Amino acid sequence: MLFLPLAKRTHGGSRMIDIQTKMTERALELLCLPENQPCYLLDIGCGSGLSGDYISDEGHYWVGIDISTAMLDAALDRDTEGDLLLGDMGQGIPFRPGSFDGCISISAVQWLCNANKKSDIPAKRLYRFFSSLYAVLVRGARAVLQLYPENSEQLELITTQATRAGFTGGVVVDFPNSAKAKKFYLCLFSGPSTFLPKGLTESQDAHQATESTFTNERAPHKMARRGLMKKSREWVLEKKARRRRQGKEVRPDTQYTGRKRKPRF
C-alpha cells in the first residue's frame, strides 16, 4: 500500500461531475449521518476525487482508496482535500478497526465480480473486501455502495458475501421503471438491523430537479447551494423531504409548515 499526500482541491464543471455529485449526495442521504456533525468517511474507488469534493463540501473528512495510480494522480492534480491511498479493495481495507463513521462507493464494487487473472476468485475477493470493511467501520455505522450489477446473479453474489461478513441491510433501487436513471444502492448496516430506506421515484426526482443546483463555490450551509434561506418554508420543506428519502418518520406538510411563530410571553 502507498499513501499519497494530502492536498486541497480545485473545481471543474461537466455533466459527468454533476452525475457523480448527485449519486454521492444520494449515498450520503442513505448513510443517515448525524446532522451538523463532521464525520470521518471512507470513499472506496475514489477515482479522481469527485465524490470527495462533495463530501468536503458537506463538512466531512474523508480518505479515498483506488487501484488506479492514474486516477489518484488526477485527484492530486485537482487538489482534493482528502487523504489518498493506492490499493486493491479486493485485498481488504488496511485500516484499524473502528476507524470510520461511514463508507460510500460510487460505481466500483461490481468490478470485484470480474476475474482478471486465474488467481482471482470473485467470491473470495468480495468476502475479503466486506469482512475488512465491516471491521474498519464504527459499530452501528453504515456503508452505501452504489453499483451497476450486470445481472441478478451478480447482485446476489455481492449481497451474499456482504451478509457472510456480518452486514445486514439490503438494496435500495432508485427510479426502478427508468432504463436510464435506474440506480442500485447497497445499504449495509454494521450493527443491529434497522429500517431500509425507500427508493426514489420519477415524481420525487422531478421535485428535486426544481430544488437542486450545483455550484463550484463552497457554501457555509449545505442548503445555501440550493438558494434556500435557512429556516424559510422552502428550507424546511427541503429538509423534511430529505429525511423522508432517508426513511425517517416526518410530520405531514401543512399550511403552517415553516411559518414563523409569534413570540410567547
Side-chain angles (χ1 to χ4, degrees):
M1 297 294 177
L2 173 67
F3 275 103
L4 299 175
L6 179 68
K8 295 183 179 180
R9 70 182 175 91
T10 55
H11 296 282
S14 70
R15 181 173 177 273
M16 181 183 69
I17 292 178
D18 285 351
I19 294 173
Q20 182 91 3
T21 302
K22 288 178 181 178
M23 290 191 293
T24 305
E25 179 181 16
R26 177 60 170 153
L28 286 186
E29 284 181 352
L30 294 171
L31 275 184
C32 293
L33 298 172
E35 300 229 2
N36 303 319
Q37 178 180 326
C39 294
Y40 193 47
L41 305 179
L42 177 63
D43 182 6
I44 295 173
C46 64
S48 61
L50 295 180
S51 294
D53 285 354
Y54 186 83
I55 294 174
S56 296
D57 283 344
E58 293 297 289
H60 303 297
Y61 304 97
W62 61 279
V63 174
I65 182 172
D66 201 283
I67 197 173
S68 170
T69 55
M71 295 301 286
L72 293 177
D73 285 341
L76 291 177
D77 290 340
R78 298 179 60 254
D79 291 337
T80 54
E81 290 188 353
D83 286 316
L84 303 173
L85 176 66
L86 177 65
D88 178 5
M89 58 181 168
Q91 295 180 356
I93 309 299
F95 292 96
R96 293 180 179 179
S99 295
F100 297 99
D101 300 311
C103 168
I104 70 164
S105 177
I106 306 297
S107 311
V109 175
Q110 70 273 0
W111 296 110
L112 288 176
C113 296
N114 298 336
N116 298 318
K117 50 188 177 181
K118 289 184 177 180
S119 59
D120 285 347
I121 302 175
K124 289 186 176 181
R125 284 171 57 79
L126 282 163
Y127 178 72
R128 190 179 300 118
F129 163 67
F130 282 120
S131 58
S132 60
L133 176 60
Y134 187 93
V136 302
L137 291 176
V138 172
R139 198 56 56 235
R142 296 186 179 194
V144 177
L145 316 175
Q146 186 274 327
L147 67 161
Y148 291 105
E150 290 184 357
N151 47 52
S152 59
E153 289 78 14
Q154 191 176 92
L155 185 59
E156 183 178 358
L157 172 63
I158 293 171
T159 55
T160 298
Q161 298 308 315
T163 302
R164 279 191 61 208
F167 283 108
T168 58
V171 178
V172 174
V173 183
D174 285 351
F175 318 118
N177 299 320
S178 172
K180 189 174 182 180
K182 187 176 184 179
K183 296 290 187 297
F184 291 85
Y185 294 88
L186 180 59
C187 298
L188 302 175
F189 312 137
S190 63
S193 183
T194 182
F195 62 87
L196 191 66
K198 295 181 180 180
L200 297 179
T201 63
E202 282 72 10
S203 60
Q204 287 174 303
D205 184 51
H207 173 73
Q208 278 188 306
T210 63
E211 296 282 334
S212 301
T213 57
F214 296 91
T215 178
N216 290 336
E217 297 297 326
R218 172 172 287 188
H221 191 276
K222 64 182 71 174
M223 291 298 183
R225 286 195 313 279
R226 299 180 176 87
L228 304 181
M229 183 69 66
K230 189 173 182 181
K231 301 299 183 181
S232 67
R233 176 178 170 81
E234 291 76 14
W235 184 90
V236 173
L237 290 173
E238 167 70 15
K239 185 173 181 179
K240 292 175 71 175
R242 186 174 74 250
R243 294 177 72 84
R244 289 190 186 100
R245 292 194 297 270
Q246 293 173 343
K248 297 179 180 179
E249 291 187 7
V250 181
R251 290 182 178 179
D253 299 332
T254 70
Q255 60 179 326
Y256 302 106
T257 299
R259 177 178 294 184
K260 292 185 179 179
R261 292 183 171 89
K262 294 181 180 180
R264 293 184 178 181
F265 296 94

